[in-house]
Amino acid sequence: MMQEITNIVLTKPFSLRDDSDSEENYCAPNLLQRLLSLLKNVRPGSDLSRFQLPPLFNFPKSQLQCYGESIYSTASSDRLLSKCNTGQSPIDRLISVVAWSISTTRPPMFGTAPYNPILGETHHVSKGNLNVLLEQVSHHPALSALHATDEKENIEIIWCHYPVAKFNGRSVEAQVHGKRQLKLLNHGETYEMNSPNLFIRILPVPGIDWIGNVNIKCIETGLEAELSYISQSFFGFGGNRRLIKGKIIDSLTSKILYKVNGHWDSTVTVKDTNNSDERVIYDAKEVITRLQAPVVKDAESVWQTESALIWSELSQAILNKDWEKAREAKKVVEERQREVMRERESKGETWVPKHFIVSQSKEGDWDCLPIQKWVPPSPIVTL
């Protein structure tokens, strides 16, 4: 279930369950009642970005780890990222990028959330030739930057995310602002895309799902995919859960080339509008089942800013369901961060990210550019 070396705690990624899985339950008892009690004094329309959750509502991961896992945690037989590179034509490559983008959608867990990363926190993991590095580059807004590179495939991934959660009385919607880029350097192609939003329904029927529109576009070719993530009705009854519908178009001519249909937790197909040929491009069971926790290969080389190290005592307490110890462990991390901030302010120092250059446009959009061309291998690895 976890790997622990010198206070480094790593847990399994969220994945689809199959018959061989034993479900890991991090939740406190009576979670729904506790959640209703927690939110009873929160006004509808409130921004929850500064809302501090007690450890009872945390699962043992930082938000940085969740972002990272959606890149590096895939079944060992999966080669979706490599397929993006090997497509013979621009349309083949776009279809592969659509499949890869869908693979970054992972099953969420109702009633629990990851830790809010502290400023300067990092998460660094390698999977084969793919090296993934994340850094929390801003606290308000909670801006997370990701850089992943595969020198063998000549692939680069850059993400810049900041979630904004709002309470709507009977539900919470977390909009994931920012952009994602996938660069296929051998082909001189950059694909820009966004993330779906997380919708948490509290009443009348508790539930959680990804919703919203995702646009994936190749800047150089003009090929584009428009996807809609569709959940059940607001009341939680009827309708298909985890549905994806969409189309692939040539934006230069507005011609629809393919229809996209399926479920992100099952299979997704594309149908050629010319000849009605239909094929499966994504099978979630092949990609996001039986995922294993990363392991530490060299504990002494793990950075002191690593998520799995910073939050290790809290994660271990949650795994043990020792809620009193969890509260103390979380308080220690938060107090240490406040102390560092006070010390920095007293010296008149401005904190600068170590791995990214952060900028903001006149329109208010954030951008995170990696300082290094290639991400180095990590002492934490996954298969």
Side-chain angles (χ1 to χ4, degrees):
M1 183 174 66
M2 65 180 180
Q3 171 79 14
E4 182 181 12
I5 301 177
T6 62
N7 298 323
I8 299 170
V9 177
L10 294 156
T11 55
K12 279 187 177 182
F14 291 132
S15 58
L16 286 182
R17 294 186 62 205
D18 62 17
D19 294 337
S20 67
D21 281 339
S22 58
E23 185 173 10
E24 295 185 5
N25 184 7
Y26 307 127
C27 302
N30 304 316
L31 192 62
L32 180 58
Q33 290 87 342
R34 291 175 187 267
L35 187 60
L36 291 171
S37 175
L38 183 71
L39 294 172
K40 67 180 180 181
N41 295 321
V42 180
R43 291 183 178 182
S46 296
D47 183 347
L48 300 181
S49 58
R50 294 175 183 256
F51 193 74
Q52 293 294 326
L53 284 173
L56 284 165
F57 300 96
N58 286 130
F59 51 76
K61 295 180 192 295
S62 164
Q63 181 66 67
L64 287 190
Q65 292 171 275
C66 294
Y67 286 145
E69 286 174 356
S70 65
I71 298 287
Y72 64 69
S73 287
T74 55
S76 57
S77 59
D78 164 62
R79 291 185 55 79
L80 281 182
L81 197 56
S82 178
K83 288 177 185 176
C84 296
N85 218 15
T86 56
Q88 294 300 304
S89 67
I91 188 63
D92 289 339
R93 292 191 291 275
L94 178 75
I95 290 172
S96 293
V97 171
V98 169
W100 173 80
S101 176
I102 294 170
S103 79
T104 65
T105 307
R106 301 302 168 91
M109 182 182 291
F110 175 79
T112 56
Y115 320 134
N116 293 326
I118 66 171
L119 191 64
E121 179 181 330
T122 60
H123 184 50
H124 186 202
V125 176
S126 292
K127 178 185 176 70
N129 296 306
L130 180 68
N131 302 314
V132 183
L133 170 63
L134 298 99
E135 183 178 20
Q136 191 68 13
V137 296
S138 170
H139 196 51
H140 298 298
L143 190 62
S144 306
L146 177 149
H147 188 211
T149 56
D150 185 326
E151 289 190 59
K152 182 179 178 182
E153 296 281 355
N154 215 15
I155 290 175
E156 181 177 33
I157 303 165
I158 302 171
W159 286 6
C160 187
H161 281 166
Y162 56 104
V164 176
K166 286 196 173 180
F167 177 59
N168 301 315
R170 293 189 172 192
S171 64
V172 174
E173 183 170 351
Q175 295 184 340
V176 185
H177 296 277
K179 67 179 179 181
R180 302 174 169 185
Q181 286 186 330
L182 171 61
K183 298 183 178 185
L184 304 180
L185 301 175
N186 287 343
H187 302 282
E189 294 174 349
T190 296
Y191 296 82
E192 290 194 345
M193 61 204 81
N194 61 303
S195 168
N197 300 325
L198 191 62
F199 181 75
I200 305 161
R201 186 179 53 251
I202 302 169
L203 293 172
V205 179
I208 184 169
D209 205 353
W210 295 100
I211 63 169
N213 297 323
V214 171
N215 182 270
I216 304 168
K217 184 173 184 177
C218 179
I219 297 172
E220 291 77 16
T221 66
L223 294 172
E224 186 173 358
E226 297 174 356
L227 307 178
S228 290
Y229 283 70
I230 305 168
S231 183
Q232 291 172 308
S233 69
F234 174 81
F235 296 103
F237 305 108
N240 290 318
R241 295 186 63 216
R242 300 180 171 177
L243 184 69
I244 282 186
K245 284 186 174 293
K247 57 189 177 182
I248 294 173
I249 63 175
D250 183 342
S251 63
L252 302 178
T253 63
S254 298
K255 181 182 179 182
I256 299 175
L257 305 176
Y258 290 87
K259 294 287 185 72
V260 182
N261 194 26
H263 298 80
W264 63 259
D265 63 341
S266 180
T267 57
V268 178
T269 64
V270 291
K271 187 175 184 179
D272 193 324
T273 57
N274 283 328
N275 55 26
S276 296
D277 285 348
E278 191 170 13
R279 60 187 172 95
V280 174
I281 63 166
Y282 178 69
D283 187 340
K285 288 184 179 179
E286 293 180 357
V287 181
I288 56 171
T289 56
R290 303 186 185 184
L291 302 180
Q292 299 301 312
V295 296
V296 180
K297 288 294 187 182
D298 181 4
E300 292 184 358
S301 297
V302 173
W303 298 337
Q304 291 300 303
T305 52
E306 166 61 43
S307 299
L309 182 59
I310 287 174
W311 299 103
S312 59
E313 290 191 20
L314 174 55
S315 295
Q316 190 61 61
I318 291 174
L319 290 169
N320 295 338
K321 291 184 167 57
D322 187 340
W323 305 116
E324 185 60 40
K325 189 171 182 180
R327 277 189 291 270
E328 286 300 316
K330 192 169 190 178
K331 184 178 178 181
V332 166
V333 175
E334 291 170 348
E335 283 297 326
R336 188 184 303 134
Q337 183 184 28
R338 293 188 191 102
E339 184 179 335
V340 169
M341 290 176 66
R342 285 193 296 265
E343 184 178 340
R344 190 181 297 125
E345 288 173 1
S346 68
K347 295 180 179 179
E349 296 176 349
T350 301
W351 183 82
V352 178
K354 184 175 182 180
H355 304 283
F356 295 86
I357 298 171
V358 181
S359 60
Q360 189 177 24
S361 69
K362 292 179 180 179
E363 294 75 27
D365 297 325
W366 292 90
D367 204 6
C368 304
L369 294 176
I371 292 174
Q372 291 181 298
K373 182 179 179 180
W374 302 106
V375 177
S378 171
I380 300 174
V381 301
T382 188
L383 299 175

